[in-house]
Amino acid sequence: MKLARFPRRRYTEGPTPITHLSRFSKALGGPNIYLKRDDLLGLAGGGNKTRKLEFLVADALAKGADTLITCGGIQSNHCRLTLAAAVQEGLQCRLILSEIDPGSYSAETSGNVLLYKLLGVEKVKLVPWGTDLMAQLQNAAAEAAAEGRKPYIIPLGGSNPLGALGYIACAEEIMGQTFETGLDIQHVVFACGSAGTHSGLLLGLLGNNCQIPVIGISVLYPKAVLETRIAELVEQTATFIGLDIKVSRKDIVCFDEYIGPGYTRSTDAMLEAVKWLAGTEGVLLDPTYTGKGMAGLIDLVRKGYFAKDENVLFLHTGGAPSLYARGSWFA
């Protein structure tokens, strides 16, 4: 796919590595687990949103924006990275943060909230969980425009057709890396939230006739809702880039059994996964996304979903800074 026709900023030097988790794989009893280290992407603390922001921020700059406006949860990795991109580009940034637990936000909180302050967020607005976030973003943009600013809205998770290009590019990066190393991957697994990473990765692999199954472990939406969102975004993105491809619903594979009590809520399986990977490989997962994604992978292995000799790639989408706001969970 010809992605070079789309403006792009580059926040990472070269591809992120793919590493074999040999000790973890042995402890798990197979299959062979590999890690795509998108937690090592550029900007403050890394994570999958960096790939999306390369295209989104380039578009903002092309349109003369001076203020990025986006939204997320209190400990949003997306908000952290959008703010970091704004700093790097000399832009201002305003955040809409959604509170699951009323009164849970405090400027003294650690994790990503601390980083918002260090990175110099211009304005934070708190809204209750369940608020129409797009309406809030539009209101914030109107407010900024009334002040003489040129705002640019980035949706939740950067998940729109332009943002999804970041994971079409990642799909092509994975294909290049596995070809060069002779690594035959049979499955790709990752934590799935706002659907942009899943949609881009799926479209990138299928659009290049690479039939590796993509498995999303939902951390936010029920399976039916998430699969519908992915299908819609895949179709929108294919139209956006002029790709003549039909993605079947059978190509969209999601599991929602690992959400637990809800988004950002702890589960025993998540705690086990975070501790296990830290203890065997020295790799940090986060409690909201990659911890639950890895918990799903572990459970699927235990259920025999993968053959013992298969090679499974887990996409590490980052998020470790939020660990420091959840220290009591791991005490």
Side-chain angles (χ1 to χ4, degrees):
M1 278 176 269
K2 188 180 179 183
L3 298 183
R5 57 198 166 101
F6 298 99
R8 181 185 185 187
R9 302 294 291 161
R10 292 307 301 265
Y11 298 126
T12 307
E13 286 286 335
T16 59
I18 293 177
T19 59
H20 182 208
L21 301 181
S22 57
R23 287 170 55 83
F24 178 70
S25 299
K26 182 178 180 180
L28 194 55
N32 299 306
I33 309 298
Y34 291 81
L35 201 64
K36 174 66 170 166
R37 297 295 305 269
D38 273 13
D39 58 317
L40 301 180
L41 285 165
L43 300 177
N48 63 323
K49 305 304 189 288
T50 295
R51 291 190 188 271
K52 302 178 185 183
L53 288 164
E54 289 185 338
F55 291 94
L56 291 163
V57 175
D59 188 52
L61 293 171
K63 292 176 177 175
D66 59 16
T67 305
L68 302 182
I69 301 176
T70 196
C71 61
I74 296 298
Q75 289 288 338
S76 170
N77 300 307
H78 168 66
C79 286
R80 164 176 49 87
L81 290 170
T82 301
L83 175 55
V87 171
Q88 189 159 322
E89 301 292 357
L91 307 176
Q92 293 296 324
C93 183
R94 301 181 179 187
L95 304 176
I96 309 293
L97 301 182
S98 178
E99 282 190 306
I100 292 181
D101 300 310
S104 61
Y105 176 84
S106 166
E108 305 307 314
T109 305
S110 186
N112 284 320
V113 174
L114 170 62
L115 298 183
Y116 303 155
K117 183 163 61 175
L118 289 177
L119 291 166
V121 63
E122 184 181 28
K123 184 180 291 188
V124 172
K125 180 179 180 181
L126 300 178
V127 298
W129 185 255
T131 297
D132 183 340
L133 291 176
M134 182 50 70
Q136 290 289 331
L137 291 172
Q138 291 168 344
N139 290 341
E143 179 182 288
E147 297 169 9
R149 296 289 188 85
K150 294 181 179 178
Y152 184 90
I153 291 174
I154 296 179
L156 179 69
S159 294
N160 63 10
L162 189 60
L165 299 185
Y167 272 87
I168 293 177
C170 181
E172 296 184 343
E173 183 175 298
I174 290 170
M175 288 187 294
Q177 287 176 291
T178 54
F179 173 72
E180 289 297 329
T181 59
L183 176 60
D184 185 16
I185 293 292
Q186 280 79 47
H187 304 272
V188 180
V189 182
F190 51 93
C192 189
S194 57
T197 298
H198 195 138
S199 301
L201 197 57
L202 179 62
L203 191 57
L205 292 172
L206 293 180
N208 283 286
N209 199 31
C210 182
Q211 307 300 318
I212 301 174
V214 172
I215 301 169
I217 306 297
S218 181
V219 302
L220 177 58
Y221 296 112
K223 174 183 172 71
V225 174
L226 180 58
E227 290 182 348
T228 297
R229 290 176 68 91
I230 293 168
E232 291 172 349
L233 187 51
V234 164
E235 182 178 354
Q236 293 165 4
T237 305
T239 299
F240 176 67
I241 64 176
L243 180 64
D244 185 16
I245 185 174
K246 296 296 182 183
V247 177
S248 168
R249 288 297 287 257
K250 68 178 177 59
D251 295 317
I252 302 172
V253 180
C254 298
F255 293 89
D256 63 3
E257 296 91 331
Y258 310 102
I259 298 174
Y263 181 64
T264 76
R265 305 298 194 191
S266 181
T267 68
D268 289 343
M270 176 277 292
L271 295 172
E272 176 196 31
V274 173
K275 292 176 181 177
W276 201 355
L277 205 65
T280 58
E281 300 288 349
V283 173
L284 299 180
L285 302 176
D286 82 292
T288 301
Y289 290 91
T290 52
K292 288 187 177 179
M294 185 60 78
L297 172 58
I298 291 169
D299 188 57
L300 291 174
V301 169
R302 288 169 171 167
K303 290 177 176 176
Y305 187 89
F306 310 107
K308 293 288 186 181
D309 60 347
E310 287 188 312
N311 298 319
V312 178
L313 181 66
F314 184 83
L315 175 64
H316 191 331
T317 52
S322 65
L323 273 174
Y324 306 111
R326 305 295 188 189
S328 62
W329 291 1
F330 297 92

